[in-house]
Amino acid sequence: MTNIESEKVIINKSDIEIFDFLSDFTHFENLMPEQISNWNATPDSCSFTIQGMANLSMKIDERIPYSEIKIKSDVSSPVEFSMRCIISKISDEKTQVYISFIADLPPMIKMMATKPLKNFVDLLTSKLKQFAENDFC
């Protein structure tokens, strides 16, 4: 099993605000890298294309208020995976967030995919911090 964790970021927003934002996939477009196209989202699911790679789709599997959002691949994704957005309240206006990507990758794919996946989850958290601290605009 491959588990790739993003850097932990401290965001100057409440855990409730961060949870509410991450609980809706329509907000994720603001966090995606430039290599993403064909973005489609509802509050509970999304699909997109990674340039030169694959079409992926995900859905929110579980929302644990103010602490975790569990995401899993949808049936149309070529690889089965899950992601966890872990939200930890530090104070009323300060929250720590990180993302964990979990997949059972074959050894050859793991070698090629680990660095891009690490970059992807790091980008999501850094863009989340930037976007949140600009009042989600």
Side-chain angles (χ1 to χ4, degrees):
M1 194 62 70
T2 301
N3 185 4
I4 299 167
E5 290 188 354
S6 72
E7 296 294 322
K8 294 178 178 167
V9 295
I10 307 290
I11 301 172
N12 294 319
K13 290 288 180 188
S14 73
D15 57 332
I16 296 168
E17 290 173 286
I18 299 298
F19 179 84
D20 288 346
F21 181 84
L22 290 174
S23 289
D24 183 342
F25 270 132
T26 62
H27 298 145
F28 273 61
E29 185 172 17
N30 299 299
L31 309 179
M32 290 291 150
E34 295 174 4
Q35 299 86 350
I36 298 296
S37 61
N38 301 321
W39 176 261
N40 291 300
T42 68
D44 295 322
S45 65
C46 70
S47 63
F48 54 92
T49 302
I50 301 173
Q51 276 181 342
M53 292 182 74
N55 295 321
L56 295 177
S57 58
M58 309 183 285
K59 62 183 177 181
I60 294 180
D61 190 41
E62 184 178 5
R63 293 173 177 93
I64 302 168
Y66 318 123
S67 64
E68 186 173 353
I69 298 155
K70 295 181 180 182
I71 299 166
K72 67 179 185 178
S73 56
D74 208 347
V75 292
S76 61
S77 282
V79 175
E80 192 173 320
F81 64 89
S82 64
M83 285 179 24
R84 296 173 55 222
C85 302
I86 311 298
I87 303 162
S88 304
K89 179 179 182 172
I90 295 173
S91 68
D92 286 345
E93 290 299 319
K94 198 170 281 211
T95 305
Q96 178 180 276
V97 179
Y98 73 94
I99 296 172
S100 177
F101 178 92
I102 303 131
D104 192 10
L105 301 174
M108 194 63 133
I109 302 268
K110 182 178 178 176
M111 277 181 20
M112 295 184 305
T114 298
K115 186 175 180 180
L117 287 170
K118 172 70 171 144
N119 290 341
F120 176 68
V121 293
D122 283 344
L123 180 70
L124 289 178
T125 55
S126 68
K127 281 189 149 190
L128 173 64
K129 176 179 174 62
Q130 178 184 26
F131 196 68
E133 290 183 353
N134 285 321
D135 291 323
F136 298 109
C137 7

